[in-house]
Amino acid sequence: MMKHILKTIFITLFVGTTFIAKGQAGYNYALYDVGTAVSFNTVYGDAETTTMMPAIHFNFTYNATPYTNFVFEVQLGKLRGGDSVATNSGRYFNNDFAAFVFRGQLQMGEIMDYSRSPFMNGLKNLYVSLGLGFVRNNITQISRTSEKVPGFYTGGDDKTKEPFLPIRIGYEIKLFNRYSQPSAKIDLGYNYNYVFGDNLDGFTAGAKKDVYTQFTIGVKFAIGAALTSYRKQITY
C-alpha cells in the first residue's frame, strides 16, 4: 500500500513538474549576464583632426526583465587626435584611458506587444540607454605648441579624472537555447559620451566640453539558472 502511494505521488510530481516546465517554455530568463565588447572611439575636443581608436569593454548585467537591464562596464583603450605638424595649432594627443560606466537600458519589448507582428518582434530588441560614467585620462603623448605659430601654447593636464554622461542606442540579438531561453546575446551599439570636463584630450581650450563617440560590438552570456519567469513569451 505504502509503495503504491509513494509511486502515485512520484508520478504526480513528475507530471506536474513537466507540465509547468513546458508551460514556461519561452518565458524564463537568467538574471545575470557577463560579456565583453570592442569599440572604435573618436574624440571631438580641442584637437583639429580626429582619429578612430580601439578599446575593449568588460561588462556585467542585471536583468530586471529580459528587456529592462542595468549594466556596469569597464572600458580600457586609446583615444587619439590632432596633428603636430599639419595643423596650425600643432595639437596632437594620445590618451590611454580607462572608463567606468553604470547605465540603465530599456528595450522596446518592455513597452510593446510583439506577439502579433514579425516586424514588431524584430523591433523588440532595439534599446536606449542612459547612465553615468567616470573616465581616467592618462596622456602618454601630446603636443601643446605650434610649429607654424611661434609662441602658441595650449594649457592642459596629462592625468585627470572626469565624470561623463553616456547616452547609447543599440540592438541586442538574442540567441536561445533548446528551452527557448536567451542564453547568449550579440550587442550592437552607438555611444555618445558627453564629458563634463575639458581635459579628455589633454587640452583646455574653447568654450565647449569634450565628447567621445563609440561604435561597439559585443557578446554576452547568461550565467546562473534561468528560473525567473517573464510576464509574456520572450521568443516567437
Side-chain angles (χ1 to χ4, degrees):
M1 182 69 178
M2 181 60 67
K3 288 183 179 180
H4 177 72
I5 293 173
L6 291 175
K7 183 177 180 180
T8 302
I9 293 173
F10 174 78
I11 293 173
T12 302
L13 289 175
F14 176 79
V15 172
T17 303
T18 302
F19 177 78
I20 292 171
K22 289 183 178 179
Q24 291 299 312
Y27 288 78
N28 284 8
Y29 67 97
L31 285 175
Y32 308 105
D33 296 330
V34 293
T36 186
V38 293
S39 67
F40 301 93
N41 317 299
T42 304
V43 176
Y44 299 91
D46 300 312
E48 293 181 53
T49 63
T50 60
T51 303
M52 187 175 287
M53 297 296 291
I56 187 168
H57 301 205
F58 303 96
N59 51 65
F60 176 84
T61 302
Y62 169 68
N63 301 307
T65 77
Y67 305 107
T68 299
N69 324 110
F70 297 94
V71 183
F72 175 73
E73 185 171 70
V74 177
Q75 305 175 6
L76 304 171
K78 292 181 178 293
L79 303 171
R80 183 178 296 171
D83 192 310
S84 60
V85 177
T87 61
N88 289 329
S89 67
R91 293 172 187 156
Y92 167 83
F93 77 94
N94 187 88
N95 181 359
D96 290 351
F97 80 102
F100 308 89
V101 181
F102 178 78
R103 56 184 175 83
Q105 180 171 286
L106 178 66
Q107 301 183 39
M108 296 301 101
E110 189 68 42
I111 58 176
M112 60 186 275
D113 180 6
Y114 49 82
S115 64
R116 301 170 184 263
S117 165
F119 175 75
M120 299 298 278
N121 188 47
L123 196 63
K124 69 183 180 182
N125 298 319
L126 183 69
Y127 68 80
V128 294
S129 181
L130 186 69
L132 185 64
F134 185 80
V135 60
R136 185 179 64 193
N137 303 308
N138 178 30
I139 304 297
T140 56
Q141 291 178 302
I142 194 162
S143 171
R144 296 189 174 99
T145 61
S146 172
E147 296 184 9
K148 295 184 177 182
V149 184
F152 182 91
Y153 178 79
T154 303
D157 298 310
D158 291 346
K159 294 183 182 297
T160 56
K161 300 174 182 178
E162 298 175 305
F164 67 92
L165 176 69
I167 304 170
R168 179 181 174 105
I169 59 173
Y171 189 86
E172 184 178 89
I173 302 171
K174 294 178 175 61
L175 305 177
F176 296 89
N177 61 21
R178 60 177 178 165
Y179 303 108
S180 297
Q181 300 163 349
S183 58
K185 303 163 186 176
I186 299 173
D187 193 355
L188 308 173
Y190 171 78
N191 292 38
Y192 180 92
N193 302 303
Y194 179 82
V195 183
F196 294 111
D198 190 30
N199 216 109
L200 184 68
D201 51 14
F203 308 114
T204 52
K208 295 182 179 180
K209 304 298 184 182
D210 294 332
V211 168
Y212 76 100
T213 62
Q214 299 172 299
F215 292 97
T216 305
I217 179 170
V219 61
K220 296 179 180 179
F221 299 96
I223 57 174
L227 300 178
T228 306
S229 183
Y230 190 46
R231 67 179 185 270
K232 53 187 177 180
Q233 192 170 335
I234 303 168
T235 178
Y236 278 94

